[in-house]
Each structure stands twice: as structure tokens, then as C-alpha cells.
Amino acid sequence: MSAPLEPEVGALLEEAQRAFRKEFGSEPTLAVSAPGRVNLIGEHTDYNDGLVLPMALELVTVLVGVPRLDGLISLVTTSEYADEPRRVEFPLPTADQPLEPGMPRWANYVKGVIQHYPASPLPGFSAVVTSSVPLGGGLSSSASLEVATYTFLQQLCPDSVAAVMRAQVCQQAEHSFAGVPCGIMDQLISLFGQKGHALLIDCRSLETCPVPLSDPGVAVLITNSNVRHSLGSSEYPIRRRQCESAAKALGKKSLREVDMKDLEARKELLTKEEFRRARHVVGEIQRTSEAAAALSTSNYKTFGRLMVESHNSLRDDYEVSCPELDQLVTLALSVSGVYGSRMTGGGFGGCTVTLLEADAATRVMKHIQDQYKGTATFYLSKAADGAKVQPL
Ligand code: ADP
Ligand code: MG
């Protein structure tokens, strides 16, 4: 049970600085941070041109380093990840020799951002990465690593592209170097999160709108189920294809163009499964819009009800939940002071997100710890800022 706060960025920076001294024998001169995120509502809507409502977390990835003149890039992570080496070195890409994904896998997120970075000339550099975002836990350590890298590269060679393009470069890095066909939400929120606000993102126009979330009486609790069913990676592309074919069958560019009445009226154009997938997406986009309006008027009860409807739709229509996530949601909802709870992220494991009265947090964590059939990990986080240059 932890409540990471601003000072933790300081502790992470110190850890990174210590590791840098040890690995490179000098002091780093540059530091940046980029947060992980939790999606409050709007699940599996991003790749349907829909709405999402994430907030940036106080959990961050920190990168410290120095430029170097020999054209090499040297990276170290302090995170233990599988059996992969924690240090890697490679030359700057050239037109003839672009960077390519390889081993260790963790470095691909950094390499991808370097390869797609839209300004030049980049110098070589040495850098150390530390993070308080759990790796592979559904809180987007991957986007925080990409965005931290991007923000670091801006210090070495300023870019002059539109803000949204920065998120697209990081997304492209994840597509082409990590092989993950992710939407744009994670990178946008890690770049543009605002302290005390969730961010309503329209994934069609890429417009963002901050929604206040700073009431001290209200808390956001993230519960990691600590399970990840392998089904997730194979089912994700299947869901994407089903959404595309449903939109096509309805003669639309994406499910964003479809409303519930339209969908019900032309049900027979879809297979039963396509219909249920589309019903989740169309309903979820509507719920996200309503949830943002509810949050902006501090209507937490309505927000909580929409979260529960979202979870049920993900479980029954989209079929991306699992028994562990369902149990965590049921346990949270059985405690007084809880407004709502739902699975968050792609599904098949990972985390739930719960909106509750701040006073209820200890009660909820205890109840889950006592009753959950697995081992849960908790994060209580306020809505935090996006990526930043950190003074050293
Ligand atoms: P999530 O984004 O939900 O945390 P992903 O599977 O998308 O899960 O990304 C996790 C991967 O990102 C890790 O397996 C690792 O390769 C890479 N990664 C993220 N943060 C770090 C870090 N601080 N050091 C090394 N690798 C990292
Ligand atoms: Mg990720």
C-alpha cells in the first residue's frame, strides 16, 4: 500500500543519479520525468476514434543523462526485467543504418523514439532510466518510457513539431519497435496530463480537454490483480478487427460515427458477436462523454454508476475481463464510500480503478486484501502533471 507523491520523483532522481555515477563515472547533467496513467473510463474506444478519460499518475519514469561526442548511445535501466541485460550500447542511426528493434527488448521503446524523432542532428548520449511505474501492470510504463525518452531528446536537440505529433512519434515507436498496435491515449496523457485534472481525449480530432479532479474528499484507488492472462495479446487484434468490420458493415468509417439507435435499427447487418462488440464501443463512448460532464460538476455518484456500467459492458459484451478483475470490482463495490469500480486497460488481468471517498481507501484496501483470491497491490494517486524537465 503506497501513496507515491512528488517527493518520490526526488528519490527516483537520486537513484538514477547514483546509478549514473556508478555506470559512467560522471554526473548526469539532464533529467526528465514522464508519468504512467490510469484510464478512468473509455475502454477499447481509442482505436474506434472514440473518447477516453485518463489521468496521469504520480508514478513516473525518470531518465537522467549527458550528451556525448562519439556518436554512441549508452542506456542503463535500474529495473529488473526478465533476464535481459540492463545495459546496452549502439551507434546513432544514420540514413543508411537506421535503428532496428532487437535485444534487450526493453531498449526498443527508447530506440523507436530515437529513430522516429522529428529533429536533427541528435548527438549520442549516455542515460539511466528508473521508474516507479510497475512494468507490465497496465499503468503504461511503456508510454512513460517513450515519453521520457522524447522529452530527453528535446533537451539534446529541440523539436518544432505540433504537440500532438510528439505523442504520435511515441505511438509510432511502440508500433514499429515493440510490435504493439496501441492507440494514442497513453502517450497523449503522459505528455499532457495536468495536476488536479483528468484529461478528456477525443481520439478522432485528438483534441484534449482537462476536467478538474482535485477534490480532497475523493480518491482514485488502483488495484493491481497481479495476473496477466496470455489471451490478452491474441484477443486485442481480434477485437480491433471485429470493430472495423462492424463499422464497415454499417457503412461507417469507425464506430464513432454510429449511435445506439442506429446500431439497434441495423442490427441484422452484423453477426451476433460483432453487434455485442459494437454495443460496448458505442455505449462506452456515450458513457465517457457523460462521465466527463458528471466529473466537471462533482457528481461522483453518476460517475461511479457509469464506471460500473463500463465494467459490465467490458465483461459481458466485449468479453475482455477475467474472474480476478470481476472479483476485485465486486469486492470494492461492497464497501461503503465507494462510488464506482471497473477494470482498466486492455483487460485479461492488470488493474482495476476505483473512485471512492478518500476516507474509505483504507477500508477498501483491507477488505480486498482479506478477500481477494490472489495478491493485490494498491496505488493511491492524485491526478498529476505530464512529462517535465527536472532540475538537477
Ligand atoms: P505497461 O505499459 O502496461 O507497463 P507493456 O507491456 O506495454 O506494459 O510495457 C512494459 C515493457 O516496457 C517492459 O516489459 C519493458 O520492456 C518496458 N519498460 C517500461 N519501463 C521500463 C523501464 N523503466 N526500464 C526498462 N524497461 C521498461
Ligand atoms: Mg504499455
Side-chain angles (χ1 to χ4, degrees):
M1 291 188 208
S2 63
L5 297 161
E6 267 308 282
E8 277 226 350
V9 176
L12 275 179
L13 281 170
E14 277 172 29
E15 184 190 338
Q17 281 173 296
R18 262 197 312 278
F20 192 94
R21 270 180 230 122
K22 186 164 162 256
E23 296 281 343
F24 299 108
S26 66
E27 287 293 327
T29 54
L30 298 168
V32 297
S33 64
R37 63 94 187 97
V38 68
N39 192 20
L40 298 172
I41 193 162
E43 216 65 74
H44 287 279
T45 49
D46 60 348
Y47 53 84
N48 287 297
D49 278 355
L51 303 175
V52 293
L53 187 65
M55 70 176 211
L57 298 174
E58 291 161 308
L59 303 167
V60 292
T61 296
V62 154
L63 209 142
V64 303
V66 291
R68 49 195 276 178
L69 301 172
D70 61 1
L72 290 178
I73 294 166
S74 230
L75 300 174
V76 174
T77 175
T78 61
S79 298
E80 301 278 337
Y81 186 69
D83 292 332
E84 296 190 340
R86 293 194 295 105
R87 182 166 175 153
V88 59
E89 198 161 272
F90 50 91
L92 275 167
T94 61
D96 296 339
Q97 288 214 295
L99 293 178
E100 280 174 12
M103 295 298 275
R105 275 189 294 269
W106 68 265
N108 290 332
Y109 298 86
V110 180
K111 284 183 183 169
V113 176
I114 297 170
Q115 182 59 41
H116 294 291
Y117 190 68
S120 62
L122 271 178
F125 62 91
S126 301
V128 166
V129 184
T130 53
S131 189
S132 54
V133 188
L135 271 55
L139 303 181
S140 210
S141 69
S142 57
S144 72
L145 178 55
E146 291 146 20
V147 170
T149 302
Y150 194 101
T151 309
F152 185 79
L153 298 185
Q154 285 178 296
Q155 310 316 303
L156 299 177
C157 175
D159 67 346
S160 55
V161 298
V164 162
M165 169 92 179
R166 295 178 181 139
Q168 288 168 326
V169 166
C170 292
Q171 180 195 24
Q172 190 55 41
E174 184 143 347
H175 285 191
S176 56
F177 275 68
V180 181
C182 58
I184 188 90
M185 165 174 74
D186 300 355
Q187 292 79 10
L188 277 175
I189 183 68
S190 186
L191 275 161
F192 307 120
Q194 284 184 24
K195 191 172 177 169
H197 295 79
L199 197 67
L200 180 65
I201 301 173
D202 183 328
C203 298
R204 180 169 57 183
S205 65
L206 299 183
E207 277 168 358
T208 59
C209 174
V211 186
L213 175 53
S214 59
D215 189 332
V218 172
V220 174
L221 175 69
I222 297 158
T223 307
N224 192 340
S225 67
N226 286 311
V227 298
R228 172 134 319 270
H229 300 292
S230 56
L231 210 55
S233 48
S234 53
E235 290 295 310
Y236 181 81
I238 296 175
R239 293 296 177 285
R240 286 191 73 139
R241 275 203 301 279
Q242 289 170 330
C243 290
E244 277 165 31
S245 72
K248 203 167 158 204
L250 296 166
K252 304 287 186 183
K253 187 171 161 281
S254 73
L255 289 177
R256 176 66 183 277
E257 322 286 322
V258 180
D259 65 28
M260 202 54 100
K261 249 168 100 185
D262 197 19
L263 180 65
E264 296 280 357
R266 297 197 294 150
K267 197 173 173 172
E268 73 287 353
L269 295 174
L270 307 179
T271 66
K272 281 207 170 73
E273 200 171 57
E274 275 173 350
F275 173 72
R276 282 189 294 117
R277 303 302 188 236
R279 184 165 61 185
H280 165 71
V281 172
V282 173
E284 184 78 355
I285 293 170
Q286 182 61 33
R287 280 187 288 276
T288 306
S289 168
E290 288 169 25
L295 194 58
S296 66
T297 54
S298 307
N299 189 344
Y300 305 119
K301 275 206 169 123
T302 298
F303 195 96
R305 174 180 54 77
L306 293 163
M307 288 174 90
V308 175
E309 286 175 19
S310 165
H311 183 79
N312 294 344
S313 171
L314 288 157
R315 183 191 59 204
D316 302 334
D317 271 352
Y318 219 62
E319 295 181 282
V320 292
S321 189
C322 62
E324 292 86 353
L325 292 172
D326 293 342
Q327 194 197 7
L328 288 174
V329 166
T330 305
L331 289 173
L333 292 175
S334 70
V335 181
S336 65
V338 170
Y339 295 113
S341 185
R342 56 183 287 276
M343 58 156 276
T344 182
F348 301 103
C351 296
T352 62
V353 60
T354 302
L355 188 77
L356 71 178
E357 290 170 4
D359 294 346
T362 312
R363 235 175 14 243
V364 173
M365 289 191 279
K366 169 136 190 11
H367 184 63
I368 291 176
Q369 225 157 25
D370 288 348
Q371 303 288 324
Y372 178 52
K373 60 188 167 191
T375 309
T377 317
F378 301 100
Y379 305 93
L380 259 177
S381 177
K382 304 239 173 279
D385 276 326
K388 279 184 190 172
V389 177
Q390 294 286 349
L392 279 180

